[in-house]
Amino acid sequence: MLRFILKRLMIAVPTLLVIITVAFFMMRIAPGGPFDSERALPPEIEKNILAAYNLDKPLIDQYALYLGGILHGDFGPSFKIRDFSVSELILAGAPASIQLGLAALILALSVGVTLGTLAALHQNEAGDFAVMGVAMVGIVIPNFVMAPLLSLVLGVYWGILPTSGWGDGALRYKILPIFALALPQIAYIARLTRGSMVEVLRSNFVRTARAKGLGERLVVMRHTLKAGLLPVVSYLGPAAAAVTTGSVVVETIFAVPGIGTYFVNAALNRDYPVVMGVVIVYASLIILLNLAVDLLYGLIDPKLRRAR
Amino acid sequence: MSDQTKRTPQGKPGFGALGRALAFGLGLAVVGGAAGPWAPAAQAAGVLRIGNDGEPQSMDPHFVSTVQTSRLLDDMYLALVTFGAKGEAIPGAAERWTISPDGLTYTFTLRDHTWSDGTPVTAEDFVYSWRRVLDPAMGAEYASLAYIIKGAEAYNSGQGKVEDVAAKALDAKTLEVTLTSPAPYFLAQLTHQVFMPVPKHVVEKYGRDWTKPETFVVNGAYKLASWLPNVEAKLVKNENFYDAKDVFFDEVIYYTYEDRTAMQKRYRAGELDICREIASEQITWLRDNLADSLRIAPYAGIYDYAFNTTQKPFDDLRVRQALTMAVDVEAISEKVLRTGELPAWSFVPPGVENYTTPATVAWKDVPFKERQEKARALLAEAGFSKDKPLTFTLRYNTSENHKRVAVAIASMWKQIGVSVELFNTDGKIHYADLKQKAFQVAREGWIADYNDPQSFLFKMEGKTGPLNYSGYDNPEYNALMDEGALTIDLAKRAEILKKAEALAMRDVPVMPIYYYVSKQLVSPKLVGWHDNALDKHVTRFLSLK
């Protein structure tokens, strides 16, 4: 197992380097610079600014400087939020993003699996249709539609939750963004669980277990669920990626101080160091989550554990 | 029996388990979070909550170029001249000043006041601050605004020495500044953040970190308590401010909102007292439902299209005139935008100080049908016809409003036989291309940095460089602007500048479309909010009923 983890981590380093390199050059190739705005700068001012941020150096030198900085743990200064370095911004934003993403993932998993299992157990009954109908709606309606809708109804019309903002990190500020972020995943996991469970419930070993006189609850909890959850576990990697990227939209709509918001604004402002910093964080997060999912998968499926 | 073990007739776990699962999920969902009270907290008295339509860039005034950040700085710093309750220029850190007869030398006497840490504010702080802005190594974006000070441009462009920047501390309370030419707008210009003082003793001690809340020192009504990027910047009253007893609010919170609809919702939910921008597409709803909060007022800004006069066919005056007179700017304001914007016939908006009535295009009062006829004739003279129509690309930066205006204007031009292709890109690409003159006709806009016609008209001067997007370079116009710069008599100067504007409105290198308005939501409970052209509403002058 340790060898497997080490092997995966060894692959992660060159993967990250490729991501950093591609992102760095793509950002620089994109037309428009960080200091292009409605107010064109006089040439001498522009020269001063470019020199102050090393942007007057050849691109390859800038790249080398950037990599050197990363190795020393320095992600550079933000061009637009000048009082913060990229590291400070990420440290300030990461707790909110991680809380949001993790909570949404746990919520999606617990509710999605429960709903999917119940739907499978009540296949083709009213409850099943209801769950699958709602799941379909959850999948079809994108975050950027659902989030403002939730904020309008629960925040403005009913006034039971704040419309947006973060307060001091109080629970009531987190409910809507977590729910908005989790909803598509709940829907997807519910459908996935239902499909898988229906298949497993029809399999021979379940039939045998029932024939032996095992109670339905035990059949479901002990035998069916474990096998039925394998596709869900496989989906956890993409789900984590979806939650991470989806948080960019949800954070913007609910004014959550996460790194997703920085990413959107930084990309629009061509704030190169911030975009790079967030890309590195996201990439590392997704690599680590995928590794965790693979490990989890091995725990559930002994065949896979042996293959390693 | 618990929900989880309850059986359905088929003996399977029932849907009643759902409630438990949801509760479990939600419980887990907040893991790691600081759980707070469930019910919305009552707003503390003495707190002003402002929705700001953009993230502050910096608390250091020398690195700020956005209107959204300047709002915080106006609350925290006291420049020599500052904004009054109605946005007018009033004495700030300077109690009084004298101007030499040639209009070149200003001598300021500082009022007795201190930084928020109790250290006296001195003339040397100002000298230090302005030299800092002009230091080429600092890369300050707005440094060129200080070029009016003798020696400033040379130092900032690496050609001169810092000692030659003509700002001197005669003693602790007296500052002498010498200008390159008489500039009646200099006092108004001093309200700009680039001229705000920074505390030498703190900046030198902490370097770049001096703006962190724990070390931050200012001389204005408020100081920074905390700043959570993308959420809020909290300011608290500076008890060492010279006029602290007249400052009503103990705390001001600027909430950052890139999304105007979200900000508006927060205002509607009673969580904000002011929304500094509205979602224009909801104007009808706002007029119907929040009329007592909605504040729309003329704003010192112009929205226009620049013709690239360095390229054919826009180097032809007849083409520019034809295109300008064929646009019904009143219809743009009234039917396309419908948010109170005023149709523009000049480049300088009405109501700008140190000016007279702006010079307008000659066809302002000609009926639109007649203007269309004249436009067709001018295009024919310029060699365009049905067989050889004028075709070009109109560029604009991505925005729903820019698109609506562009579509409307393209259809107006179509009526005189002109074929337009619309092309939009994000703002960064748009302005990078404009700077390179890689366009034919393009959308641009301009907000005054200070309340003076020069802040608009300089844009069309030949020497202005990349910012003069149209590339207009008329020696007669340039000469009038130079003459205006040397004229001390304000009335005479206004006439000269008006002549320059009249020339530009004859040559139309840019086509005025509308004058901006400020659009915001302000709680009716708030006292001291006065609409003004610069849209300045300094918190120290606001209070509650």
Side-chain angles (χ1 to χ4, degrees), chain A residues 236-250:
Chain A
L236 276 182
V243 164
T244 311
T245 47
S247 73
V248 173
V249 177
V250 171

Side-chain angles (χ1 to χ4, degrees), chain B residues 126-198:
Chain B
F126 281 90
V127 174
Y128 168 79
S129 302
W130 295 358
R131 285 179 172 186
R132 180 175 181 261
V133 165
L134 292 165
D135 181 350
M138 297 296 284
E141 247 181 272
Y142 256 104
S144 59
L145 221 60
Y147 284 2
I148 192 68
I149 299 171
K150 203 173 156 192
E153 184 169 4
Y155 173 50
N156 187 239
S157 45
Q159 313 293 318
K161 293 185 215 148
V162 64
E163 312 85 79
D164 295 336
V165 177
K168 284 181 206 153
L170 300 182
D171 58 49
K173 293 284 170 202
T174 316
L175 178 74
E176 185 189 88
V177 187
T178 308
L179 308 185
T180 53
S181 61
Y185 54 86
F186 181 58
L187 288 172
Q189 219 179 20
L190 286 176
T191 54
H192 194 272
Q193 64 260 14
V194 85
F195 293 101
M196 286 172 175
V198 294

Side-chain angles (χ1 to χ4, degrees), chain B residues 215-226:
Chain B
T215 49
F216 195 51
V217 166
V218 286
N219 69 333
Y222 291 91
K223 56 187 181 180
L224 183 69
S226 63

